[in-house]
Structures are given as structure tokens and as C-alpha cells.
Amino acid sequence: MRTRDLLCILLLVWVGCGLNLTAQIRLNGAVVDKDDRPVAGVLIDFSNGRVKTTGDNDGKFTISYPDTLKNRRLNFRLFGYKTKSVSVNKGQKFLKVVLLDSIYQLGGVTVSTPRNGRFSDYSAQTIQMTTFDIVTNPAAMADIIGGMRVLPGVQTNDNDGRLIIQGGNSDESQVYINDLIVANPYTLSSKNSGTRNRFRNDLFSGIVLQSGGFNAEFGQALSGIVNLNTKERDEMIAKTDISLSSVFIDLTHIDKKPSYAYRANVSYGNLFLTDQLIGSEYDWKKPFQSVSSDIFLTKEFSPATKITAQLNDSYSDGIYSGKNIDGVELKNKFAQTYLYGQINFYHTFNKQFSLSAASNIEIYKTSGTDVQYPDDKLVIENVWNHNKMTLQYKAYRVTNRTGAEWITNPHTETYSLNADYRRKIQNNLASVYNDTKIFLSGNLTASVGLRGEYSAYLKKANIAPRLYLAYQPVVGNIFSVALGDYFQLPSMDYLKMTDNLDFASVRKVSAAYNYVKKTGTFQLDAYYKKYRNLAAYSEEQTINHSGNGYGYGADVFWRSNFKTLEYWATYSFNHTRKKFDYFPEAVAPPQVAANSFNLTLKYWIASLKSMLSAGPYISSGSPHYSPVFPYKKLGVTPYHSRLDVSWSYLPKQWIIVHFGCINVLGRKNIYGYEYSDINPGLRRAITESSERFVFVGVFITLSKAKNLNQLKSL
């Protein structure tokens, strides 16, 4: 080769290299969260997938790409955060990206509030419901707990109404408001009638059920928790709601200012009209009635400091009579005075440290006559005070929460029948906890927790370790597992008899697969739990903590929509055997169904300005037992089923006319049997007090916009 040819080739190579170098664009950037804190380990790539990099521990990144690249959308992905796609302008040299917490990516829920990012996404089985979900659910009748019966692993009986989660007793779950336990969240009801949650659903922006486990910050529950998070100021809209119905009248006013917002409500309920139209197995001398009021305030003193405060009070009473299976008439007169107050304080020191402190107090007095025998009387006086303080540290891939709690619970019961029998206890509980959440990689996260408790009444302590792992191989597909110990004080029915007991406990492992896309949500989970130290009676009728047992099951949940039809489908299987209470051997708990299926359908008809909803439910029967020792199993009740329907019509955008009917077909479900004290073998089925429940109401919203309503998603 001639020297001139060689020089030409070298010149062309040099020019080509020079052109290639000048065509490469270098982009520097930083990734932060909504509080401007660095987010480490973010996966960054252009839409073509060939040019990619990873952010460092300070959230910073550098990526080079050819100027000829046509699709200049840069994608940012990290497990636990929403995937973000950003356009890069030609010649741009720096980019700052803010990632938001994901609403689903850890197999559950992250409620994005200034409450220091608590780990509401911890559980392998976590489901969030909105107030719209509750109000439009025909099974709920706007009741938070009633609306949860459509969720996986949940059962409620029409003659009780309280939550039964994954085969556990109704007292194995707790209701929290802004991270504090509400000891008595249910309203009064007559015998064999479903009770309701006493707090209105429109007060809350997040309604979360955690059944597969929960982090160490939450305690005193064996089967699950319901965490209710009050609305933020930005979520509140100035308006006045007027509700007129066959059951209650209600007035709610919301006002919003630059630094604060408040909500005030007053309500009066009376079941006279319902009793006259539908009837009941009881003869109501004075129909059930209640009057209540509540006020809620959220105040921001600065971008770093805020408080929320609420006060709820109510009075309810009623008088009814009915005959037991032996023809003895019992005239039950019941009444309850209730007061609940709570305050939460939040302060952020800097980008890493924040503090939350909270306290609530619950005072109620309940009285009833003819509780077991004619002319007897029971009076219960209870005070509950829960105090809590938590310090949070968040930086890079780690979030740590450390806190302490103090619960005091003086309780007095007086039973009168010819003489007064009075029981009084002072139950104090101290707790400490630590939770650490770590993003191990872009696709893997772990939460490790440890909780310790000490009961001054029982003079017993416990240590509860907990672990949660989640892996996301592809966005929207999450595999998760939770393992932990959960402790709970025995119910007051046992504590008032003796202090020679221990914490009841469950060791539980659960695993779940979640598929979450815009088209729908699918969840499959399985669990196993081992019970220990359950309160039980010996053959000598003394109470001890020798009870034990186990349970396992699986749940399937699918939520999606087809055009204007939304549907939820849930199937749950449970197998539980426990030795507890009066049972001398392990048995399937009464009122727990082994198989249950729920379907919820919501159909919006735009031409009629109407939403039609239907909720069929079916479950296998529940076991029932002999009323005397040795409490042998006598059989299983017939299967349970119910069909609920509702219709919401908007004559104007700000007016809703609503009709609902629970158990529209009037099926008589049997939940057990009452046995005669006089005639051996004579029994009577225990059913709900009314065959069906009908509700008709008009809901009016007054606002400046004139287009708001109490179902704002319609």
C-alpha cells in the first residue's frame, strides 16, 4: 500500500472518530423523592433499552447517548416508587427528577402523607379501599366494616357485624385511626343484629386492611388491622352536605383556609320507620335512636409542622322485648354514652429526621337490662388512653422508625341480680418498637421489625420479631412473603376474671403474588398460623392460658372493569382448629365458614345518570356445638347466602337519590342454635333479627362549584 493511501485511511478514521465523539451527548442528573431527599440505586434507561445506567448512593447519575437517538424519553425505575418517564431536550446537560411513592409496588399500599411514610405497604396481604368504594358497595350501606366483607380473607356475620379475618375471632383484629388503636369502634345494636363502625367514612382518605401481617409499629392484633387515615388539608373541599334518609338526618360542613381546614358534623338516627316497614323478631317499645356529632381539624403551622385533632361524641338507646326458647320474656333496655378524642403532631427536622407524637382518649358507659335473666342489669364503664411517639430516619435506601407506646385502660363492670357483683381492673401496657425498611436493589426490598411489650396487669412481657420481603421482577408483578410473631392481651371477658393469664400469640407466615396494572388488580395469597397461650377453661372451670391451635388458608382477589362495568370477585378458603374458651379440644371456631365467595358489580348508565350495584355472597355453613360440657360438635348450619342491591341516581350533579336493600331475597341464614334449659334437645335457630334492610335517602351538596356530590367520583 502506498504511503498516500495509508494517510488517507488514517485521516478518514480520525475524522470518523471525531464525528462520533462530537455526536455523543453527556447528561448529568439527580433523582430525589417528594421531600427532596436523594433516591439511591435508580435504574435509568432510554426507551430503546440499549443506553442505561444506575444512580449512585447520592441519587446522582451520568448517562451518554448519541445525538442521533430519536426517542429521547428517559425512564426511571425503582422498586417502591412510581416509574417515571421524562423527555430530554436536545442539548440538555442536567436533569432533576422527582420520584413519588408507588401506590402498589410493594404488594400493598403506601399512603402518601406527611405522616413520615409509615410502612403501610408492609403486609403480604394489603388492600386499600376508598370512601367511594365503601359508599357504592351495596353490602356496606356506607359502613366501613360492612364494606370490607368483599375483601379476601374477611367474613362478617349479619347477626354480629364485626370483622372475622382469616379464621380468627372478631376480637383478634384492631381498628386504628392515624396509627392509634380505637378500643371500641362499633356502635350499639340489638341482639342478633349487625353492628356498624361508629366513624363516618368520608372523614378518611385511606382505608387499609392488612391481614397477611403488619410491621412492628402496630400491635395487639393476632389476625389483622384496619388502619384509617384522616384526610389532609389539600384533600378537603369547602362544601356543605345535607343527608335525609329513612334512617337518619345528617349535616356536614367543611371549610378550608390556606393553613388549616376543618370538618364538623351532626347526625340523628332513628329506626322507627324501618321497623314499621320491615318488621323485626323483637317488639320495639322504643326504637333504636342515636344522636352524634364530630369535629375534625388539620392545621399546618409551617411546611415542617402540623397537627390534626378530632372529637367524636354520641348517645344511643332503645328498648325492645322478646321471648327466649322457653317462653321467658326479656325486656332489654340499653343505652350508651360515648366520647372519643385524638390529637396527632408531626414535625420534620430536616431531610433525614422527623418526629410524630399522638394521643387518644376513649370514654364510654354502656348499660343494659334483662341481659341474661329477667330484672338483671349490666353497667360497663371503660376508659382507653393510647399514647405514642415515633422518630423516623430516612436516607438513601433505608428508612428506620423507632418508637414507644403507653396504653392505660381502667375498666369496671357491675352486674346486678338481687345483689351487685362488681369487677374492676387497671390494665396498663408499655411497648417499644423498631422498624427498618431497606431497598436492597431496584427490584428487592425488605422490612425488619422488632416489638416488645409489657403488661403491668399480667406482669408478663413479650418480644415479637417480624420480617417482610418483596421482589418485583417486572413492574406490576410482585412476589412477597411475611413472617412474624403477633401478641395480644386476652379479651376483657377473661381479664376481669383473673390476672393469671399470658399474652395470646400467633406465629404467622404468609406469601402472596400481586398483579397490578391499569386493567385490574389480581392477588393470590396463602398463609399458615400457629396459636399459643389462648385463654381456656379447665375441667374444674378455672381460666388458664393452655389454649392453642393452628390455621391455614388461601385467598383469591380480582378487581377490574369492562367499559362502565366494575367488578370485584373474592374467594377465600380457611381451615382453623383451636382449643380455646370452653372447648376441651381443638375445634373449628363457631361462625367461621371454610369457603366463601363474594362478587360485587357496579354499572354506570350515563343516559340514566345512574349507578346500579349488586353484591351476591355465598359461603359454606358454620359449625355449631352442644351448650354443655364437653361441647361436642352437633353439626354444620346450612350454607349462607345474601344478595344486596343499590341504585344511585343523579337528577342534578349536586343531588343524589339513593336506594339500597340488603338481603333483597329475604334468605333466612342460620348462624347457630339456642337450646332450651327445660326441654333437652329442643332448639331454635339463631338468625338475624330482620330478614332484610331497606334504605332510601337524598344527599345534597352545596358548594361554590355546584358540581360536587357525596359520590364525587360519579
Side-chain angles (χ1 to χ4, degrees), residues 354-424:
S354 56
L355 175 73
S356 63
S359 178
N360 71 5
I361 187 166
E362 188 175 22
I363 304 171
Y364 64 87
K365 180 178 180 180
T366 305
S367 62
T369 61
D370 288 18
V371 179
Q372 292 180 303
Y373 306 100
D375 301 321
D376 70 358
K377 183 179 181 179
L378 176 66
V379 178
I380 299 174
E381 298 172 281
N382 190 85
V383 177
W384 174 272
N385 174 227
H386 185 185
N387 306 282
K388 184 174 185 177
M389 182 173 292
T390 304
L391 179 66
Q392 175 171 293
Y393 171 78
K394 183 175 182 180
Y396 309 127
R397 300 187 180 198
V398 176
T399 300
N400 179 267
R401 288 173 65 78
T402 301
E405 296 179 314
W406 174 259
I407 295 174
T408 182
N409 180 207
H411 180 91
T412 303
E413 288 191 20
T414 304
Y415 179 76
S416 302
L417 182 63
N418 302 322
D420 289 345
Y421 303 90
R422 187 179 178 89
R423 300 184 180 96
K424 184 176 182 179

Side-chain angles (χ1 to χ4, degrees), residues 269-375:
N270 193 304
L271 295 183
F272 171 79
L273 183 59
T274 300
D275 180 56
Q276 294 297 309
L277 294 177
I278 302 175
S280 169
E281 68 172 288
Y282 302 122
D283 179 16
W284 283 92
K285 311 297 183 182
K286 181 180 180 181
F288 177 83
Q289 64 174 353
S290 66
V291 58
S292 64
S293 64
D294 66 79
I295 187 167
F296 170 75
L297 169 71
T298 175
K299 167 68 175 176
E300 298 172 0
F301 294 96
S302 70
T305 306
K306 65 168 285 188
I307 65 165
T308 64
Q310 62 187 105
L311 184 67
N312 178 293
D313 69 291
S314 65
Y315 174 80
S316 54
D317 65 6
I319 304 174
Y320 67 93
S321 64
K323 294 183 179 180
N324 66 16
I325 190 173
D326 294 320
V328 178
E329 183 175 8
L330 297 174
K331 185 178 180 181
N332 188 269
K333 179 180 180 181
F334 60 89
Q336 183 180 83
T337 303
Y338 180 88
L339 177 66
Y340 182 85
Q342 178 167 329
I343 186 167
N344 291 76
F345 170 82
Y346 309 97
H347 180 72
T348 300
F349 296 103
N350 51 44
K351 293 181 180 181
Q352 284 77 40
F353 287 96
S354 56
L355 175 73
S356 63
S359 178
N360 71 5
I361 187 166
E362 188 175 22
I363 304 171
Y364 64 87
K365 180 178 180 180
T366 305
S367 62
T369 61
D370 288 18
V371 179
Q372 292 180 303
Y373 306 100
D375 301 321

